[in-house]
Coordinates of all heavy atoms in Angstrom, one line a residue:
F63 N 100.6 46.0 86.6 CA 100.1 45.0 85.7 C 98.9 45.5 84.9 O 98.2 46.5 85.3 CB 99.7 43.7 86.4 CG 101.0 42.9 86.9 CD1 101.6 43.2 88.1 CD2 101.3 41.9 86.1 CE1 102.7 42.4 88.5 CE2 102.4 41.1 86.5 CZ 103.1 41.4 87.6
D64 N 98.4 44.8 84.0 CA 97.1 45.1 83.3 C 96.0 44.9 84.3 O 95.2 45.8 84.5 CB 96.9 44.2 82.0 CG 95.7 44.7 81.2 OD1 95.5 45.9 81.2 OD2 95.1 43.8 80.6
W65 N 96.0 43.8 85.0 CA 95.1 43.5 86.1 C 96.0 43.3 87.4 O 96.9 42.5 87.3 CB 94.2 42.4 85.9 CG 93.3 42.2 84.7 CD1 93.1 43.2 83.8 CD2 92.7 41.1 84.3 NE1 92.2 42.8 82.9 CE2 92.0 41.5 83.2 CE3 92.6 39.9 84.8 CZ2 91.2 40.6 82.5 CZ3 91.8 38.9 84.0 CH2 91.2 39.2 82.8
G66 N 95.7 43.9 88.5 CA 96.5 43.6 89.7 C 96.1 42.2 90.2 O 97.0 41.4 90.4
I67 N 94.7 42.0 90.5 CA 94.3 40.6 91.0 C 93.2 40.3 90.1 O 92.3 41.1 89.9 CB 93.9 40.7 92.4 CG1 95.0 41.1 93.3 CG2 93.3 39.3 92.8 CD1 94.6 41.3 94.8
G68 N 93.2 39.1 89.4 CA 92.1 38.6 88.6 C 91.5 37.4 89.1 O 92.2 36.5 89.7
A69 N 90.2 37.4 89.0 CA 89.5 36.1 89.4 C 88.6 35.9 88.1 O 87.5 36.5 87.9 CB 88.6 36.4 90.6
I70 N 88.8 34.7 87.4 CA 87.9 34.4 86.2 C 87.7 32.9 86.1 O 88.5 32.2 86.7 CB 88.6 35.0 84.9 CG1 89.8 34.3 84.5 CG2 88.9 36.4 85.0 CD1 90.4 34.6 83.1
W71 N 86.7 32.6 85.4 CA 86.5 31.2 85.0 C 86.3 30.3 86.3 O 87.0 29.4 86.4 CB 87.5 30.5 84.1 CG 87.5 31.2 82.8 CD1 88.4 32.1 82.2 CD2 86.5 31.1 81.8 NE1 88.0 32.5 81.0 CE2 86.9 31.9 80.7 CE3 85.3 30.5 81.7 CZ2 86.1 32.0 79.5 CZ3 84.4 30.7 80.6 CH2 84.9 31.5 79.5
G72 N 85.4 30.7 87.1 CA 85.1 29.9 88.3 C 86.0 30.1 89.6 O 86.1 29.2 90.3
A73 N 86.7 31.1 89.6 CA 87.7 31.4 90.6 C 87.0 32.1 91.8 O 86.3 33.1 91.6 CB 88.9 32.1 90.1
S74 N 87.3 31.7 93.1 CA 86.7 32.4 94.2 C 87.8 32.7 95.3 O 87.5 32.0 96.4 CB 85.6 31.6 94.7 OG 84.5 31.5 93.7
P75 N 88.8 33.4 95.1 CA 89.7 33.7 96.2 C 89.1 34.7 97.2 O 88.2 35.3 96.9 CB 90.9 34.3 95.4 CG 90.1 35.0 94.2 CD 89.0 34.1 93.8
Y76 N 89.8 35.0 98.2 CA 89.4 35.8 99.2 C 90.6 36.5 100.0 O 91.6 35.9 100.0 CB 88.4 35.3 100.2 CG 88.9 34.0 101.0 CD1 89.5 34.3 102.3 CD2 88.9 32.8 100.5 CE1 90.0 33.2 103.1 CE2 89.4 31.7 101.2 CZ 90.0 31.9 102.4 OH 90.5 30.9 103.2
A77 N 90.2 37.7 100.5 CA 91.2 38.3 101.4 C 90.9 37.9 102.7 O 89.7 37.6 103.1 CB 91.1 39.9 101.3
T78 N 91.9 37.8 103.6 CA 91.6 37.2 105.0 C 91.4 38.4 105.9 O 91.8 39.6 105.7 CB 92.9 36.4 105.5 OG1 93.9 37.3 105.4 CG2 92.9 35.2 104.7
N79 N 91.0 38.2 107.1 CA 90.9 39.2 108.1 C 92.3 39.3 108.7 O 92.9 38.6 109.4 CB 89.9 38.7 109.2 CG 89.6 39.7 110.3 OD1 90.2 40.8 110.3 ND2 88.8 39.2 111.2
V80 N 92.8 40.5 108.4 CA 94.3 40.8 108.9 C 94.0 41.9 110.1 O 93.1 42.7 110.0 CB 95.1 41.4 107.8 CG1 95.3 40.2 106.8 CG2 94.6 42.6 107.1
T81 N 95.0 41.9 111.0 CA 94.9 42.8 112.1 C 95.8 44.1 111.8 O 95.7 45.0 112.6 CB 95.5 42.2 113.4 OG1 96.8 41.7 113.1 CG2 94.6 41.0 113.7
E82 N 96.6 44.1 110.7 CA 97.4 45.2 110.4 C 96.5 46.3 109.7 O 95.4 46.1 109.4 CB 98.5 44.9 109.4 CG 99.5 43.8 109.9 CD 99.1 42.4 110.0 OE1 97.9 42.1 109.5 OE2 99.8 41.6 110.5
S83 N 97.1 47.5 109.5 CA 96.3 48.5 109.0 C 96.0 48.5 107.5 O 95.5 49.5 107.0 CB 97.0 50.0 109.4 OG 98.2 49.9 108.7
W84 N 96.6 47.5 106.8 CA 96.4 47.4 105.4 C 96.3 46.0 104.9 O 96.7 45.1 105.7 CB 97.4 48.2 104.5 CG 98.8 47.6 104.7 CD1 99.6 47.8 105.7 CD2 99.4 46.6 103.9 NE1 100.8 47.1 105.5 CE2 100.6 46.4 104.3 CE3 99.1 45.9 102.7 CZ2 101.7 45.5 103.8 CZ3 100.0 45.0 102.1 CH2 101.3 44.9 102.7
N85 N 95.6 45.7 103.9 CA 95.5 44.4 103.2 C 96.2 44.4 101.9 O 97.4 44.8 101.9 CB 94.1 44.0 103.1 CG 93.9 42.5 103.0 OD1 94.7 41.9 102.7 ND2 92.6 42.1 103.5
N86 N 95.6 44.1 100.8 CA 96.3 44.1 99.5 C 96.4 45.6 99.1 O 95.5 46.4 99.3 CB 95.5 43.4 98.5 CG 95.5 41.9 98.8 OD1 96.5 41.3 98.8 ND2 94.3 41.4 99.1
R87 N 97.5 46.0 98.5 CA 97.8 47.3 97.9 C 97.9 47.1 96.4 O 98.9 46.4 96.0 CB 99.0 48.0 98.5 CG 98.7 48.4 99.9 CD 99.9 49.3 100.4 NE 101.1 48.5 100.5 CZ 102.0 48.8 101.4 NH1 102.1 49.8 102.0 NH2 103.1 48.0 101.5
V88 N 97.1 47.7 95.5 CA 97.2 47.5 94.2 C 97.3 48.9 93.6 O 96.5 49.7 93.6 CB 95.9 46.7 93.6 CG1 96.0 46.6 92.1 CG2 95.7 45.4 94.3
T89 N 98.5 49.1 92.8 CA 98.8 50.3 92.3 C 99.2 50.3 90.8 O 99.8 49.3 90.4 CB 99.9 51.1 93.2 OG1 101.0 50.3 93.2 CG2 99.4 51.3 94.6
N90 N 99.1 51.4 90.1 CA 99.7 51.6 88.8 C 99.1 50.4 87.8 O 100.0 50.0 87.0 CB 101.1 51.7 88.8 CG 101.5 52.9 89.6 OD1 100.9 54.1 89.4 ND2 102.4 52.9 90.5
C91 N 98.0 49.9 88.0 CA 97.5 48.9 87.1 C 96.3 49.4 86.2 O 95.8 50.5 86.5 CB 96.9 47.6 87.9 SG 98.1 46.8 88.8
N92 N 96.1 48.7 85.1 CA 94.9 49.1 84.3 C 93.7 49.0 85.1 O 92.9 49.8 85.2 CB 94.9 48.4 83.0 CG 93.7 48.9 82.0 OD1 93.4 50.1 82.1 ND2 93.2 47.9 81.3
T93 N 93.5 47.7 85.7 CA 92.3 47.4 86.5 C 92.9 46.8 87.8 O 93.6 45.8 87.7 CB 91.4 46.4 85.8 OG1 91.0 47.0 84.5 CG2 90.2 46.2 86.7
G94 N 92.5 47.2 89.0 CA 92.9 46.8 90.3 C 92.5 45.4 90.5 O 93.3 44.5 90.6
I95 N 91.1 45.1 90.4 CA 90.7 43.7 90.6 C 89.6 43.5 89.5 O 88.7 44.3 89.3 CB 89.8 43.5 91.9 CG1 90.9 43.6 93.1 CG2 89.2 42.2 91.9 CD1 90.2 43.4 94.4
M96 N 89.9 42.4 88.7 CA 89.0 42.0 87.5 C 88.3 40.8 87.9 O 88.9 39.8 88.4 CB 89.8 41.9 86.2 CG 89.1 41.3 85.1 SD 87.9 42.3 84.5 CE 88.7 43.4 83.4
V97 N 86.9 40.7 87.8 CA 86.2 39.5 88.0 C 85.2 39.3 86.8 O 84.6 40.2 86.4 CB 85.4 39.8 89.3 CG1 84.5 38.6 89.6 CG2 86.3 40.2 90.5
Y98 N 85.2 38.0 86.3 CA 84.2 37.6 85.4 C 84.1 36.2 85.2 O 85.0 35.4 85.8 CB 84.4 38.4 84.0 CG 85.6 38.0 83.2 CD1 85.6 37.0 82.3 CD2 86.8 38.7 83.3 CE1 86.7 36.7 81.4 CE2 87.9 38.5 82.5 CZ 87.9 37.5 81.6 OH 88.9 37.2 80.8
N99 N 83.1 35.7 84.5 CA 82.9 34.3 84.1 C 82.7 33.4 85.3 O 83.6 32.5 85.6 CB 84.0 33.7 83.2 CG 83.9 34.2 81.8 OD1 83.6 35.4 81.6 ND2 84.1 33.4 80.9
D100 N 81.6 33.4 86.1 CA 81.3 32.5 87.1 C 82.3 32.6 88.3 O 82.6 31.6 88.9 CB 81.2 31.1 86.6 CG 80.3 30.3 87.4 OD1 79.4 30.8 88.2 OD2 80.4 29.0 87.4
S101 N 82.8 33.8 88.6 CA 83.7 33.9 89.7 C 83.1 34.8 90.8 O 82.4 35.8 90.5 CB 85.0 34.5 89.3 OG 85.7 33.7 88.3
Y102 N 83.4 34.5 92.0 CA 82.8 35.1 93.2 C 83.8 35.4 94.3 O 83.7 34.9 95.4 CB 81.6 34.3 93.8 CG 80.4 34.3 92.7 CD1 80.4 33.3 91.8 CD2 79.5 35.3 92.7 CE1 79.3 33.2 90.9 CE2 78.4 35.3 91.8 CZ 78.4 34.2 90.9 OH 77.4 34.1 89.8
P103 N 84.8 36.3 94.1 CA 85.9 36.4 95.1 C 85.2 37.4 96.2 O 84.3 38.1 96.1 CB 86.9 37.2 94.4 CG 86.2 37.9 93.2 CD 85.2 36.9 92.8
V104 N 85.9 37.3 97.3 CA 85.5 38.1 98.5 C 86.8 39.0 98.8 O 87.7 38.5 99.5 CB 85.2 37.2 99.8 CG1 84.8 38.0 100.9 CG2 84.0 36.3 99.5
F105 N 86.6 40.3 98.4 CA 87.7 41.3 98.7 C 87.2 42.5 99.3 O 87.9 43.4 99.5 CB 88.5 41.6 97.4 CG 89.5 40.5 97.0 CD1 89.2 39.6 96.1 CD2 90.7 40.5 97.6 CE1 90.0 38.6 95.7 CE2 91.6 39.4 97.3 CZ 91.3 38.6 96.3
G106 N 85.8 42.6 99.4 CA 85.3 43.9 99.9 C 84.3 43.9 101.0 O 83.8 44.9 101.3
S107 N 84.0 42.7 101.6 CA 83.1 42.6 102.7 C 83.6 43.5 103.8 O 84.7 43.6 104.2 CB 82.9 41.2 103.3 OG 82.2 40.4 102.3

């Protein structure tokens, strides 16, 4: 995709605590995670 995961205009999604060895895999996109316009996702803590 152009963006793999997008959070814009006040969006605040998050990734959960998973016990497996991987979480989201984003490949072959223009931008993996795009964030703007009053959005505060949690994907990297």
Side-chain angles (χ1 to χ4, degrees):
F63 286 87
D64 191 31
W65 305 346
I67 300 172
I70 69 169
W71 297 109
S74 296
Y76 59 96
T78 59
N79 186 355
V80 296
T81 57
E82 296 81 0
S83 62
W84 63 277
N85 203 335
N86 294 297
R87 290 187 290 204
V88 181
T89 60
N90 299 314
C91 294
N92 185 31
T93 304
I95 294 178
M96 171 65 84
V97 180
Y98 68 89
N99 286 43
D100 202 26
S101 296
Y102 295 90
V104 177
F105 283 99
S107 294

